[in-house]
Amino acid sequence: MADVELMTREMSRIDFDRFPRTSLCHQPTPTEALPRLTALMGGPRLFIKRDDCTGLATGGNKTRKLEFLVGEAMRDKADMLVTQGAVQSNHVRQTAAAACKVGMKCHVLLERRVPGRDASYEETGNVLLDKLFGATHEFRPAGLDMNAEAEAVTRALSAEGHRPYFIPGGGSNPTGALGYANCAQEIADYCRETGQDFDWLVMGTGSTGTQAGLVAGFAAIGHDLPVMGVSVRQPRERQMNAVHGLTRKTLERLGADGVPLSKILVDDGYVGEGYGLPAESTLEAIHLTARHEGILLDPVYSAKAMAGLIGMIREGFFKPSDTVLFLHTGGATALFAYQEQLAASMNRPDAG
Ligand SMILES: *Cc1c(COP(=O)(O)O)cnc(C)c1O
């Protein structure tokens, strides 16, 4: 009797229709096997969820968040999106494109966060696309409270008669995180429909909305998949607390119970010299994934996440019998802003 109950027990579902939302995203995104990378590493079995293929302006993880954020902006009758990010921010590029799609203006603040960049760093890659989408921008030096800066600019734009909607860096607040609670439900649906289960989910974590949304989503529907965040910037403790804080607020929004801090898993061993500075392991991950699977990773986020996955495999963190899902969060547009550094790495032994 207990067995029958277990087998027929339905997972609970989140009803996302109760939140303002606009459609921006190709979804569900594909889930694919990584057979050549799996063979190279000698297991565990690796799969990839292609959130680099969300469709909007070369894709990436911010598009899922923007469905809910722009949904709120439309509800509020905004005529402009205001946000902030590092110079080569993927979030800024996707926000600029989303604004075009819904007929709003877009104004962005770009932080000169990364030291020692190529001459073209402020012109190419994401910056080129921001301009194509007609976003207006202003630069800031490194180290300011960029959300406070952007909120001050938002107030000034209001005073001038615009109707701006402020989106925090990375789209990381409880509204944006709903996009990744939705992705968690999508992953659980995939497992149920295909019978393919995963033991781990590995992804890059920065402004926290992606990991917080995933953890909140899995908790809310009762799907037990541990989410390992590979930090691209902050030390472990700080990142865990930040992710936990947003997870709690997102679960509140969903009307579900909180999760303990022990549910927030972060590895900070792959940051290298800092945000936006590719480490040796970052370059290796870019080359290995390109040459073995024909997949592009970016030097700021997804390659640091993949370096984490590769490093954890080498440390024996996973069992060979495990199946690991890697979430590709996008970002390849930034490759063009790292041309000199990548050119210098083309003769690596693992590049061949
Ligand atoms: C923003 C971003 C991330 C990190 O997501 P957060 O929600 O900010 O933690 C990972 N990968 C790429 C490509 C990104 O642009």
Side-chain angles (χ1 to χ4, degrees):
M1 189 62 197
D3 280 353
V4 174
E5 267 172 33
L6 263 182
M7 284 173 64
T8 55
R9 192 186 62 185
E10 278 285 309
M11 263 187 344
S12 48
R13 291 191 70 78
I14 304 166
D15 171 20
F16 287 97
D17 290 345
R18 62 196 151 117
F19 303 109
R21 184 176 183 181
T22 189
S23 174
L24 300 171
C25 187
H26 297 178
Q27 57 194 318
T29 53
T31 301
E32 300 164 349
L34 295 173
R36 297 196 65 230
L37 213 48
T38 301
L40 180 78
M41 301 307 301
R45 249 182 111 199
L46 303 176
F47 283 77
I48 189 167
K49 183 163 177 67
R50 301 292 304 269
D51 271 21
D52 57 324
C53 300
T54 49
L56 182 73
T58 76
N61 61 339
K62 304 311 180 303
T63 304
R64 288 187 190 269
K65 302 179 184 183
L66 286 162
E67 289 207 334
F68 293 93
L69 292 160
V70 177
E72 272 190 5
M74 292 166 76
R75 177 202 63 192
D76 296 351
K77 309 252 183 309
D79 62 6
M80 179 189 266
L81 303 177
V82 179
T83 196
Q84 58 91 3
V87 170
Q88 282 294 333
S89 167
N90 302 301
H91 162 69
V92 164
R93 179 245 312 154
Q94 287 161 87
T95 303
C100 291
K101 191 165 162 82
V102 299
M104 292 185 194
K105 294 184 284 286
C106 183
H107 184 70
V108 301
L109 276 66
L110 299 178
E111 181 190 9
R112 293 187 160 123
R113 192 186 294 169
V114 186
R117 293 299 84 204
D118 301 357
S120 64
Y121 185 76
E122 292 188 358
E123 302 290 337
T124 186
N126 283 301
V127 181
L128 177 70
L129 302 192
D130 299 343
K131 290 179 185 167
L132 260 179
F133 292 123
T136 50
H137 68 275
E138 46 190 294
F139 288 105
R140 289 287 187 278
L144 298 174
D145 178 342
M146 286 294 289
N147 278 336
E149 292 287 312
E151 281 178 296
V153 169
T154 306
R155 283 192 296 274
L157 287 162
S158 270
E160 287 169 23
H162 298 283
R163 296 184 59 87
Y165 177 86
F166 167 71
I167 297 176
S172 286
N173 62 14
T175 302
L178 290 175
Y180 272 88
N182 183 54
C183 180
Q185 185 152 283
E186 195 176 292
I187 292 168
D189 286 345
Y190 174 87
C191 294
R192 202 189 48 250
E193 284 160 18
T194 63
Q196 176 63 62
D197 271 321
F198 303 110
D199 300 291
W200 289 93
L201 175 61
V202 176
M203 37 79 68
T205 181
S207 72
T208 75
T210 303
Q211 188 172 8
L214 286 167
V215 173
F218 287 131
I221 62 176
H223 186 90
D224 199 14
L225 177 57
V227 181
M228 173 58 79
V230 181
S231 178
V232 301
R233 188 177 187 190
Q234 301 220 76
R236 179 165 179 272
E237 207 87 329
R238 252 178 93 176
Q239 188 68 10
M240 279 172 58
N241 286 320
V243 173
H244 190 238
L246 184 52
T247 303
R248 185 171 41 74
K249 288 183 198 153
T250 307
L251 280 163
E252 260 168 39
R253 181 72 69 91
L254 293 170
D257 293 338
V259 295
L261 183 61
S262 59
K263 282 273 178 194
I264 310 299
L265 309 173
V266 172
D267 189 332
D268 65 359
Y270 303 89
V271 178
E273 299 285 303
Y275 176 87
L277 299 171
E280 193 45 36
S281 61
T282 321
L283 295 171
E284 184 197 23
I286 290 177
H287 286 291
L288 286 182
T289 310
R291 298 289 176 115
H292 290 84
E293 296 289 352
I295 290 174
L296 295 172
L297 299 178
D298 80 278
V300 184
Y301 294 98
S302 55
K304 286 191 177 174
M306 180 60 84
L309 173 55
I310 291 170
M312 284 183 260
I313 293 172
R314 287 178 179 152
E315 279 168 19
F317 180 86
F318 304 110
K319 295 197 286 289
S321 59
D322 279 346
T323 304
V324 180
L325 180 64
F326 178 79
L327 179 68
H328 192 333
T329 44
T333 300
L335 282 169
F336 299 101
Y338 287 80
Q339 197 193 332
E340 285 175 29
Q341 213 163 350
L342 287 165
S345 74
M346 289 302 173
N347 295 325
R348 303 172 54 88
D350 52 47

